[in-house]
Amino acid sequence: MDIFSAAVMLFLIMDPLGNLPIFASILRHIDPKKRRRVLIRELLFALIIMLSFLYAGEAILNFLNLRSESVSIAGGIILFLIAIKMIFPSPGGVAGLAAGEEPFIVPMAIPLMAGPSILAALILLAHTDSSRMIDWTIALVSAWALSAFILMFYKLFTRILGEKGLTAVERLMGMVLVMISVQMLLDGIANYINATTV
């Protein structure tokens, strides 16, 4: 996988367009003067968490005695479930925040930006080829920067795309993620079979 492919995959997993309505509903109850500061802080928290998992991925796998095939299969399953929810969204928003309460890490940084699927994908990237950490870092920061740009101007994108447009884009991204998740699952199974038959 090259840098561009990795960046596209990570961007699709982050799903900034799908998160637009959720971010808007959370920020709506915050003092307008604080909204941008809160959003920037949460986006930076998400980036720090994702970079931590990217660089600590190999150590996590070794500590838990996990094989890369396990991460690939688990990541594919989690990604598939998230993609299905993108295609067939369930009603309801983010719970647990009272009106006017300022979010701190949860739920904006985790799990909306740095969710289990993106963390699993980062661990898998690091484990697949640890000699290309600079490439994976560039891909991650690029995907994060584009996602951050979209979320920083959430009002503009919501106005341009409209509710139906956002729904259509999110479902399209969900379809692409389904294909990526199935490929991750198949690769994990194939690698496991090859490793056990050798």
Side-chain angles (χ1 to χ4, degrees), residues 132-188:
R132 298 180 60 197
M133 294 304 291
I134 294 177
D135 291 349
W136 306 144
T137 303
I138 293 172
L140 172 59
V141 173
S142 301
W144 172 85
L146 183 54
S147 299
F149 175 79
I150 292 172
L151 292 169
M152 287 294 292
F153 296 95
Y154 67 95
K155 289 184 179 179
L156 176 63
F157 282 95
T158 303
R159 194 180 307 119
I160 292 173
L161 295 173
E163 189 174 339
K164 291 184 177 179
L166 284 173
T167 301
V169 171
E170 182 178 10
R171 290 181 180 176
L172 179 61
M173 292 171 74
M175 285 296 298
V176 176
L177 274 184
V178 165
M179 292 182 281
I180 294 175
S181 66
V182 170
Q183 188 63 55
M184 284 176 65
L185 186 64
L186 292 176
D187 288 346

Side-chain angles (χ1 to χ4, degrees), residues 23 29 95 106 109 125 128 171 187:
F23 271 63
H29 301 291
V106 177
L125 281 176
T128 302
R171 290 181 180 176
D187 288 346

